């Protein structure tokens, strides 16, 4: 391994090895938590701070576009720390020759998304590179949120005996982008689930003080994210196949193309690990699409096991290399 | 104008027109200040928040590299608001095929630069795009600093009667990058001035409460930055050519290649606008290379005039289009 491959950016084993390698240089207690957002002390405040670059291809897809993704992706990473997102930065790297009309469309989408999520774009940057030195446009957003309940810490580790909730059906973002990119022409009506989660997570945090971790299963999908949590929490995770929501059309396309939906990216879903006693009220706070899909166990530590519909059990391995690059 | 050109990213008129166009969508009181960093309220704290992407070509040049630039550039933008930089985020967009040894070298440089500036890398992101979809590596850093003196506001506007200080000689970063990129082979010994300014600005802010604005003249150089300040402050600016520090070797290469050093990028210089009464002590606080190079005037509002060494006066126009793309 002496060169970067696409698999280094896709949420799988190689990416984690690369992150570990880079983190050696920067190791500090905040970074080492390896959460979606860093939790920082600033005077008497605690804030969440996060960054993400967006390189999705194509720029526009059913259910979203790179601008909407760039706002909601960062808003969601902040929300997963139990923080209320307030401010975002916006940095464009643009390839020479991009049509201004495309830039305008993306900008309008960013503005609309920030209004929807109630965050403000407060600082920005534009760089232009020569034709052929980028792919149309890349967007970075960083974001700041405030953690209002100073007693709690959300997002580092799951706890033994937690139930695992999800707020809706999986694998829509990845399949919508793939369908648009490869012009597969499935008249599927599959739309990306790209949306902001801050109001939902806000309700959860307000109603329960036993949420141990929330995480949005983007790159690497549900199985990738659960593996990360099982490892970092040193717990086993059990998931029930029959309870995982997936729309029939999405399942069908996954089957045809040989994609495992458990590993396909989502952009509007989150997992909420919460105590058994609070699970029902948190489920209600999330809304009608919320489902309990599994639990943490002390057996098979660091492994995610799937109870299949026919009653057998299989290990969901960490992703070796993603099924699809440039998904976000 | 229906497509993005390189000039849209180079600190000149087209870039400002583009920023104005985009800002229409996001207009809010914080963004509209158009400073190097946004000033935000968070509970009882005031913080500075900024973002920049770095696309410099080549990745390594005498006096620096993309990693060092990415840390110090963001540290400096925070420092210009009179804030103390604390935390940075780090987002890589990497072209498939990049040698891991290059990535390691850049990462080490980032780690060293953050130690030097006393900031911590607390969150990050890695994206990989296909070969040909980026130019080796682009880096985004965003940063957060704390504004410790809550009574003051630095960085919005200059005041009438301010003297203008600079902390050293100009045009080194741009000419070092050009010399390295074009393999001009000038055995010039010209090095980029790329370095962190937070300790210098910290001393200035501690010693004087009449600093109205600080700004680092990066893209667009000294003349570009002064024009921005003259416009946003609705004041005239007068600069004395004989007092502007420039190394003989840098001046010579600029002359040979037809570059005006007043418009060439710097990465370790800052301008400090301060009252006449405090100018001497601020000059001393900056250090031995500090010089008074001009003042604000009520005449010729929004224009920058240069008093030449032979006693005449000429207008320094805002930059139409930068002399050199991908400088930072």
């Amino acid at each position: 391994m002496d060169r970067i491959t696409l698999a280094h950016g896709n949420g799988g084993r190689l990416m984690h090895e690369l992150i570990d390698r880079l983190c050696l240089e920067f190791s500090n207690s905040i970074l080492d938590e390896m959460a979606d957002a860093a939790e920082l002390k600033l005077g008497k405040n605690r804030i969440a701070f996060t960054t993400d670059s967006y390189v999705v291809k194509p720029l526009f897809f059913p259910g979203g576009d790179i601008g909407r993704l760039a706002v909601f992706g960062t808003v969601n990473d902040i929300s997963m720390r139990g923080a209320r997102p307030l401010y975002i930065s916006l940095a464009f790297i643009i390839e020479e020759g991009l049509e201004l009309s495309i830039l305008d469309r993306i900008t309008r989408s960013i503005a609309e998304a920030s209004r929807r999520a109630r965050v403000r774009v407060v600082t920005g940057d534009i760089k232009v590179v020569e034709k052929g030195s980028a792919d149309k446009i890349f967007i970075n957003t960083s974001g700041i949120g405030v953690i209002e309940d100073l007693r709690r810490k959300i997002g580092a580790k799951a706890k033994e005996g937690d139930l695992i909730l999800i707020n809706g059906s999986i694998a829509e973002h990845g399949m919508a982008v793939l369908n648009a990119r490869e012009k597969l022409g499935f008249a599927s009506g599959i739309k990306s689930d790209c949306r902001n989660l801050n109001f939902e997570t806000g309700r959860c945090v307000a109603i329960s003080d036993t949420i141990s971790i929330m995480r949005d299963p983007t790159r690497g999908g549900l199985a990738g994210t659960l593996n990360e949590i099982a490892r970092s929490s040193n717990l086993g995770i059990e998931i029930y196949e029959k309870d995982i929501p997936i729309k029939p059309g999405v399942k069908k396309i996954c089957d045809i193309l040989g994609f495992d939906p458990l590993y396909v990216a989502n952009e509007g879903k989150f997992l909420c690990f919460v105590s058994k006693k609070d699970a029902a009220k948190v489920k209600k706070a999330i809304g009608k699409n919320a489902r309990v899909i599994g639990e943490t166990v002390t057996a098979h530590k660091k492994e995610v096991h799937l109870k299949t519909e026919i009653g057998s059990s299989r290990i969901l391995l960490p992703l070796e290399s993603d099924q699809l690059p440039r998904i976000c």
Side-chain angles (χ1 to χ4, degrees), chain A:
Chain A
M1 179 177 94
D2 61 348
R3 286 181 185 269
I4 295 290
T5 64
L6 286 174
H8 281 106
N10 294 335
R13 182 180 59 86
L14 282 173
M15 189 173 102
H16 288 107
E17 283 179 13
L18 181 61
I19 289 173
D20 289 347
R21 180 177 174 141
L22 299 178
C23 282
L24 281 181
E25 291 287 348
F26 305 115
S27 183
N28 61 61
S29 58
I30 301 166
L31 185 66
D32 294 349
E33 284 189 352
M34 299 296 286
D36 286 342
E39 195 181 304
L40 308 175
K41 274 196 73 144
L42 267 183
K44 287 188 174 151
N45 294 100
R46 252 165 65 213
I47 66 169
F49 178 38
T50 189
T51 192
D52 253 317
S53 299
Y54 298 85
V55 300
V56 67
K57 181 183 182 176
L59 298 176
F60 304 91
F61 47 83
D65 58 74
I66 190 171
R68 192 177 153 92
L69 200 59
V71 174
F72 292 156
T74 289
V75 159
N76 292 349
D77 281 347
I78 294 170
S79 308
M80 295 307 129
R81 290 309 294 248
R84 186 161 58 91
L86 293 175
Y87 302 112
I88 62 171
S89 65
L90 180 61
F92 291 137
I93 296 174
I94 307 175
E95 184 188 13
E96 179 187 14
L98 181 75
E99 295 91 329
L100 264 170
S101 59
I102 291 183
L103 188 60
D104 284 338
R105 222 176 124 191
I106 292 170
T107 308
R108 276 195 303 272
S109 174
I110 291 170
E112 195 202 304
S114 20
R115 279 190 297 270
R116 184 178 296 243
R118 296 197 202 140
V119 292
R120 285 202 282 178
V121 175
V122 291
T123 187
D125 178 51
I126 299 171
K127 292 291 187 310
V128 181
V129 298
E130 304 85 353
K131 200 159 178 59
S133 291
D135 192 1
K136 294 193 176 95
I137 185 167
F138 301 141
I139 300 179
N140 178 283
T141 50
S142 300
I144 296 177
V146 64
I147 298 174
E148 278 157 342
D149 184 343
L150 297 182
R151 293 159 304 173
R152 271 193 287 170
K153 188 170 185 71
I154 292 176
K157 283 181 183 181
K159 288 206 173 72
E160 196 185 316
D162 279 344
L163 291 187
I164 304 167
L165 293 166
I166 195 164
N167 65 325
S169 52
I170 64 164
E172 288 154 28
H173 176 71
M175 297 320 286
V177 169
L178 177 75
N179 196 17
R181 186 193 306 171
E182 308 298 338
K183 300 187 176 65
L184 298 177
F186 286 105
S188 58
I190 297 177
K191 278 188 180 173
S192 166
D193 58 337
C194 176
R195 67 188 179 84
N196 58 309
L197 297 168
N198 47 326
F199 303 129
E200 277 161 81
T201 57
R203 288 197 302 270
C204 294
V205 171
I207 213 170
S208 164
D209 56 6
T210 60
I211 293 170
S212 59
I213 188 166
M214 299 190 287
R215 193 69 73 86
D216 55 339
T218 55
R219 282 189 282 185
L222 181 63
T225 301
L226 289 174
N227 265 287
E228 286 176 25
I229 295 172
R231 255 191 324 236
S232 67
S233 309
N234 196 32
L235 285 169
I237 287 178
E238 257 179 31
I239 297 292
Y240 319 116
E241 190 173 32
K242 69 172 173 44
D243 297 325
I244 299 169
I246 180 165
K247 289 181 181 157
V250 175
K251 181 158 193 335
K252 196 169 152 189
I253 292 194
C254 283
D255 284 348
I256 293 172
L257 297 174
F259 279 73
D260 184 340
L262 295 173
Y263 291 89
V264 173
N266 310 280
E267 288 290 347
K269 296 293 146 21
F270 74 107
L271 299 166
C272 182
F273 285 60
V274 62
S275 70
K276 285 196 177 71
K277 79 173 173 64
D278 283 355
K281 66 177 178 183
V282 170
K283 181 167 176 287
K284 198 174 162 196
I286 296 175
K288 67 178 168 49
N289 296 320
R291 296 286 179 276
V292 175
I293 60 166
E295 61 193 305
T296 59
V297 295
T298 47
H300 56 79
K301 281 195 165 53
K302 302 192 180 186
E303 284 183 3
V304 181
H305 288 199
L306 179 80
K307 293 272 181 198
T308 66
E309 303 205 22
I310 55 168
S312 65
S313 184
R314 69 175 168 102
I315 298 182
L316 292 181
L317 291 173
L319 198 62
E320 184 65 12
S321 156
D322 195 16
Q323 310 177 103
L324 193 62
R326 297 193 54 187
I327 205 72
C328 59

